[in-house]
Amino acid sequence: MLLTQIKYDLKMFFRELFYLVFTVVVPPVTYILMGQMFSKETYSGGMNYVQMYTPSFIVLISFSVVFFAFGFDQVMNRAAGIEKRLFITPITDKVLLLSSIAKSFIIASAGFFLITLIGILVYDLRLSFVGFLVSYFSLLIVNAFMLVYSHAIYSNFKEVKTALVVSIVLFQVVMFTGGFSVPVESLPNFVRYVAYVNPIYHLNKIYVSIWNQTFDFTQGTFISIGYVVSLLIISLLVIRFNKKKE
């Protein structure tokens, strides 16, 4: 039953142009275009474009999938009454949720392989087998954090229009303050403060260091880990509270 639902969810995802544009088209195209303009630049820590932005765009795809194809999709199903109709069938709410989570992991994994392949073919990316495995499984953990954040946010919405506006605003904020377009260090101070409260910025920062094998338990790392874990706990409490209300 679960496998059938996963196949159905994946089929519906690839039929939805809105999801495809933001998750499958925009990040890889942006990765290639930015690489043509900034491939010779040097970033913080002496990293080049490939070291800095290959893991960043992998995280961006994961974010897009989680917040659009997981969170926003839940609101659409809720508003259209699809969830209620499905619950009349043998499909339970747990099966529906697990299917959405599995779909998110599958598409995020595809994004990981796609961006890595582009990096290898276009920008001569070099990644050891061990580094590849560590980076992949670390992405799954990052993806899990974002799934909880997304579930907590979208569990508060019942109307598609409101959720759509929030989704577009969130995408823009994350795109510009998550380290995906312009390095946060070069942003104006007031925008930088927004980045510091953006959990995706901290997850991206941690993931970039893991990808480049420079992860270390510094004060900044402890702050980032403490912040994303704190938000994870708050998100779980919000999910539990909204579940009780239902």
Side-chain angles (χ1 to χ4, degrees), residues 13-26 64 67-69 72-73 76 154 163-165 167-168 171:
F13 170 84
F14 286 106
R15 285 182 180 179
E16 183 57 61
L17 183 61
F18 177 76
Y19 295 158
L20 285 176
V21 169
F22 278 97
T23 59
V24 178
V25 178
V26 172
S64 303
F67 275 76
F68 287 109
F72 181 71
D73 204 40
M76 287 184 63
Y154 286 98
L164 179 59
V165 172
S167 299
I168 293 173
F171 185 81

Side-chain angles (χ1 to χ4, degrees), residues 56-217:
S56 291
F57 275 95
I58 289 172
V59 174
L60 180 60
I61 288 179
S62 186
F63 166 78
S64 303
V65 171
V66 167
F67 275 76
F68 287 109
F70 175 74
F72 181 71
D73 204 40
Q74 285 184 320
V75 180
M76 287 184 63
N77 290 340
R78 197 178 303 130
I82 295 175
E83 285 186 354
K84 290 182 179 179
R85 290 198 294 272
L86 283 175
F87 295 157
I88 300 173
T89 69
I91 299 174
T92 64
D93 55 344
K94 288 184 179 179
V95 170
L96 201 62
L97 180 62
L98 287 173
S99 176
S100 296
I101 291 172
K103 175 186 67 176
S104 300
F105 277 115
I106 291 169
I107 300 171
S109 297
F112 173 87
F113 294 120
L114 175 61
I115 294 294
T116 302
L117 182 62
I118 293 173
I120 292 171
L121 296 178
V122 179
Y123 300 115
D124 195 28
L125 169 67
R126 296 182 181 181
L127 191 63
S128 67
F129 181 70
V130 173
F132 178 86
L133 290 179
V134 171
S135 298
Y136 176 67
F137 286 108
S138 298
L139 176 69
L140 298 184
I141 296 173
V142 170
N143 199 66
F145 271 76
M146 290 193 287
L147 279 167
V148 177
Y149 297 156
S150 176
H151 194 31
I153 291 171
Y154 286 98
S155 64
N156 295 290
F157 297 110
K158 296 189 178 185
E159 295 184 3
V160 174
K161 288 183 180 179
T162 307
L164 179 59
V165 172
V166 171
S167 299
I168 293 173
V169 171
L170 278 175
F171 185 81
Q172 295 298 322
V173 171
V174 168
M175 185 71 182
F176 288 104
T177 66
F180 302 114
S181 53
V182 180
V184 172
E185 294 77 13
S186 63
L187 293 172
N189 286 334
F190 73 95
V191 182
R192 202 179 305 171
Y193 295 143
V194 176
Y196 294 153
V197 298
N198 174 10
I200 309 303
Y201 160 71
H202 294 278
L203 287 172
N204 183 41
K205 184 179 175 183
I206 292 169
Y207 187 68
V208 169
S209 66
I210 292 173
W211 175 277
N212 291 292
Q213 300 177 12
T214 58
F215 180 83
D216 196 11
F217 287 103

